Amino acid sequence: MQSTRPEDDLEALRRRVEELERQLARAPAHGPKGRRARSTPAAASPGTASGADGDGNDPYRELLARHEELRSREQRFRAFVDGTDELRLLIDRAGIVLYANPAVERLFGLPPERCVGRSLFERVQPRDGTGEALLGGALSGPGRDLAFESVHRDEAGLEREILWTMKPQLTGGDVTALALWAREVTEAKRYERALRESEAVQRAVLASTLDPTLTIDAHGTIQAASDSCRTVFGYEPEELLGRNVKLLMPEPHHSQHDQYLANYRRTGLTHILGYTREFQVARKDGELIDCELSVSRVDVPGRAEPLFTGSFRDVTERKRAHEALGESQRRLQGIFDHTFQYVGLLDPQGTVLEANQASLEAAGVERSAVVGKPFWETRWWEVSPEVRERLKHAIRAAAAGEFVRFETEHRGAGDRLLMVDFSLSPVRDEEGRVVLLIPEGRDITELKRAQRAETSMLRALATIGESAAVLAHEIKNPITAVNVALRAVAGQLGEDHKAVLEDLVGRMQRLEHLMRRTLSFSRPIELRPTRMEACALLAQVVGHMRSDIVKAGADVAVESEDPCELEADRQLLEEVLSNLLRNALEASAGRACKVRLAAVQAESEVAIRVHDDGPGIPEDVRANLFKPFVTSKRRGTGLGLAFCKKVVEEHGGKIRADKGPLGGALFEIRLPKAR
């Protein structure tokens, strides 16, 4: 059976009542005296047989009964329509209200009788389009129901949203009227908008979150996936929807996850809700990444089973960085603990944060005995109140950004005192604030002991030198007198005795020369440096010794061409080079020799070389060649090369001997380049 709407029944009843009234008006039955009976219910009282046939079938009574039934049905229908909360209207083809139920007053604030006869579209404007356009569409259409929405502002100024349904009423295929019913959907629309906004926010959150987020049901089926799944997992979010979340899990969780969920559904017990755990996740390409997973339960109204939302954070790079940092810390700790010097860490207030193993062993303490204590209260500084106060002052200066360094004493293991070269270095952060202090100490106890021994030795040597100079002076004078006396006596002796006397005079002269060189070597050197060109100096030395070179028949040349400037005492350096050239000429043993002099610039130094083609210097002699009184010459004093070394070192340079490119000896002097 087809169901009908109340508006359909109302219109059908109206049409039926009108038809019955027309039939009653045409009825043939007549009352007394031949007059036509009145077609009213009162015209025939109960039990009257007038106008009835012999069988009691009175058409008039039948019509009257049917009229009464229809009137009764109309009254019941009106009671139903008037009592409903939904608005019911009947309008004609022009949109004029023919009927309105009492619900119209609640919506429009007008009683039904004031609405009848007025255009519906005075009060109602469709949300999309106009009332006239809507009415035209309903009249020209195929007779289907139409639905539209309108917004009505009530007397309090509140907007109320109405959903209308319009049904054309047909008579003979033509639309004669339009039945409408309406219901307020303000709250429903508000909920609908709130739902759309919530869904939009959820989509925005899922699209913008950096960490992948998944929502699954109680059986592990993925219901929602954030856009970040694309970058982290390699899956498009749409690929994951409807699939089991275990596809992201490697073994053993891949095979066991369904059982995990089944156990939770059965017992309600879990070890993951409300916690952050670390798991491996399988990307689409098969790569395993490390993720932190946080899972929360979501109970949705109307759903029998909960949903679960999981947030994944890719910590692969963080773990690698952490492992690299741990390895770096282990290496630094190894260096820190195994460095020879004493090293620690302080905060800007002077509290000990760390100390390396060398410093702990030097003081004979454990790490726990010093960490967390003020630095000046530790074992190292148990020397005197003055030493501690000096340290406090140094910490304040370092905390202000200064570098502090001084020599001090530390209390070492076994209560012995150590001499330490101590420093404090400030460490700044990116904003320039001092955040750490690095104390460093170097044990210089043995160095100080050696320095004291060296100072004592130097004082003794100075005393010996002074005594030797006095002694040489005292010996030199009598030798000179004896030499003069021998020469005076030589003229009075015979030829046989003259040879002996001449030999004695020669010996005395060599002894006098030795005394003179000894006095010269023992005196301090006072440098008078001037700027000079090295090649020009070499040429000058060769020029001054030209007679000796010619006498020896030697081939001597200066090979340098590039200018090399230096600052030196010209007279002393010329004496050194003359000494080296003279040694080369004397080493030729009477044969013509070849000697080359050169000056070469090397970075911050000037190298001066003198080498020959002579016999060279034996290996066993080179080690002691520059020591005083060491010589390979038959008549040498052993002070020439010692004097050369002394002059070169006074200039801040070095001298060495080696085998030269010509096969003989090579002497190389390295002096600082002119500034």
Side-chain angles (χ1 to χ4, degrees), residues 386-577:
E386 293 76 18
V387 170
R388 291 183 175 181
E389 284 302 318
R390 187 178 187 185
L391 174 63
K392 291 179 183 179
H393 178 75
I395 289 174
R396 287 193 294 271
E402 297 181 28
F403 172 76
V404 182
R405 183 178 181 180
F406 57 88
E407 291 183 1
T408 184
E409 288 183 320
H410 277 181
R411 183 70 64 184
D415 210 34
R416 66 190 183 98
L417 288 177
L418 304 174
M419 199 66 190
V420 175
D421 179 8
F422 177 77
S423 67
L424 273 173
S425 302
V427 178
R428 301 177 185 271
D429 62 9
E430 294 82 358
E431 298 178 359
R433 296 174 298 187
V434 176
V435 293
L436 288 174
L437 303 178
I438 299 180
E440 293 182 80
R442 184 166 60 95
D443 186 355
I444 57 173
T445 307
E446 294 302 322
L447 176 62
K448 287 295 183 181
R449 185 179 295 116
Q451 286 179 347
R452 288 193 295 269
E454 182 180 2
T455 301
S456 177
M457 182 181 294
L458 289 175
R459 289 199 187 106
L461 288 175
T463 303
I464 293 172
E466 291 173 2
S467 300
V470 173
L471 180 61
H473 183 72
E474 292 298 326
I475 293 174
K476 173 177 165 292
N477 290 337
I479 289 175
T480 304
V482 170
N483 193 22
V484 172
L486 287 175
R487 289 185 178 277
V489 173
Q492 302 175 13
L493 298 177
E495 292 296 329
D496 295 336
H497 296 89
K498 279 185 179 181
V500 176
L501 188 60
E502 289 294 335
D503 180 62
L504 183 58
V505 169
R507 291 175 185 271
M508 293 302 292
Q509 286 177 341
R510 284 194 298 276
L511 184 58
E512 182 182 6
H513 178 66
L514 177 60
M515 290 299 102
R516 192 180 300 112
R517 294 299 300 270
T518 301
L519 284 171
S520 177
F521 181 74
S522 63
R523 293 192 193 100
I525 295 177
E526 184 178 351
L527 298 179
R528 294 184 177 84
T530 59
R531 196 178 188 91
M532 66 188 73
E533 206 281 313
C535 294
L537 177 64
L538 293 177
Q540 184 176 343
V541 169
V542 172
H544 288 170
M545 294 190 61
R546 179 59 61 189
S547 59
D548 294 330
I549 295 171
V550 173
K551 183 178 178 180
D555 175 12
V556 179
V558 177
E559 295 180 332
S560 301
E561 295 181 0
D562 297 333
C564 303
E565 290 195 341
L566 51 85
E567 281 190 25
D569 188 311
R570 191 179 195 93
Q571 182 178 349
L572 288 175
L573 192 54
E574 185 177 340
E575 187 174 347
V576 169
L577 294 172

Side-chain angles (χ1 to χ4, degrees), residues 179-461:
L180 296 95
W181 61 97
R183 59 188 176 90
E184 185 177 349
V185 293
T186 306
E187 289 301 316
K189 287 292 184 179
R190 185 159 42 243
Y191 290 141
E192 182 181 340
R193 285 193 295 269
L195 179 60
R196 285 198 302 268
E197 290 174 2
S198 175
E199 291 176 346
V201 170
Q202 181 183 5
R203 285 194 298 271
V205 169
L206 289 177
S208 62
T209 181
L210 297 177
D211 294 330
T213 302
L214 297 177
T215 299
I216 64 171
D217 63 16
H219 299 273
T221 303
I222 298 173
Q223 306 294 312
S226 66
D227 288 2
S228 48
C229 293
R230 180 185 303 111
T231 55
V232 178
F233 297 156
Y235 286 97
E236 293 293 329
E238 296 76 12
E239 289 184 83
L240 295 172
L241 300 182
R243 302 178 69 177
N244 195 299
V245 71
K246 67 182 180 182
L247 90 159
L248 298 173
M249 302 177 186
E251 294 295 348
H253 300 297
H254 181 85
S255 301
Q256 299 174 0
H257 191 255
D258 288 343
Q259 188 61 43
Y260 297 161
L261 292 175
N263 292 339
Y264 177 73
R265 292 195 301 271
R266 187 179 68 257
T267 65
L269 300 178
T270 179
H271 298 289
I272 192 170
L273 288 178
Y275 298 95
T276 298
R277 300 291 178 87
E278 189 172 304
F279 296 95
Q280 283 195 315
V281 175
R283 285 172 45 87
K284 185 176 181 179
D285 59 9
E287 178 188 359
L288 297 181
I289 59 175
D290 296 302
C291 288
E292 287 180 348
L293 173 61
S294 300
V295 180
S296 58
R297 171 174 169 152
V298 181
D299 293 303
V300 181
R303 287 185 66 103
E305 294 180 324
L307 298 177
F308 300 94
T309 298
S311 177
F312 297 79
R313 173 159 294 179
D314 185 358
V315 296
T316 307
E317 292 302 321
R318 189 180 75 186
K319 285 190 67 176
R320 290 174 183 166
H322 183 73
E323 292 171 359
L325 178 61
E327 179 63 24
S328 176
Q329 287 178 336
R330 286 190 292 273
R331 291 178 181 176
L332 287 176
Q333 191 67 40
I335 296 172
F336 184 73
D337 281 338
H338 291 87
T339 185
F340 180 73
Q341 297 190 145
Y342 311 148
V343 184
L345 283 177
L346 309 178
D347 66 15
Q349 289 71 44
T351 303
V352 179
L353 304 176
E354 191 58 84
N356 74 337
Q357 195 62 32
S359 62
L360 297 174
E361 291 176 355
V365 296
E366 296 292 331
R367 181 177 178 276
S368 58
V370 297
V371 172
K373 294 181 64 175
F375 195 28
W376 54 86
E377 294 182 6
T378 57
R379 169 72 175 171
W380 297 292
W381 301 94
E382 292 178 357
V383 178
S384 67
E386 293 76 18
V387 170
R388 291 183 175 181
E389 284 302 318
R390 187 178 187 185
L391 174 63
K392 291 179 183 179
H393 178 75
I395 289 174
R396 287 193 294 271
E402 297 181 28
F403 172 76
V404 182
R405 183 178 181 180
F406 57 88
E407 291 183 1
T408 184
E409 288 183 320
H410 277 181
R411 183 70 64 184
D415 210 34
R416 66 190 183 98
L417 288 177
L418 304 174
M419 199 66 190
V420 175
D421 179 8
F422 177 77
S423 67
L424 273 173
S425 302
V427 178
R428 301 177 185 271
D429 62 9
E430 294 82 358
E431 298 178 359
R433 296 174 298 187
V434 176
V435 293
L436 288 174
L437 303 178
I438 299 180
E440 293 182 80
R442 184 166 60 95
D443 186 355
I444 57 173
T445 307
E446 294 302 322
L447 176 62
K448 287 295 183 181
R449 185 179 295 116
Q451 286 179 347
R452 288 193 295 269
E454 182 180 2
T455 301
S456 177
M457 182 181 294
L458 289 175
R459 289 199 187 106
L461 288 175

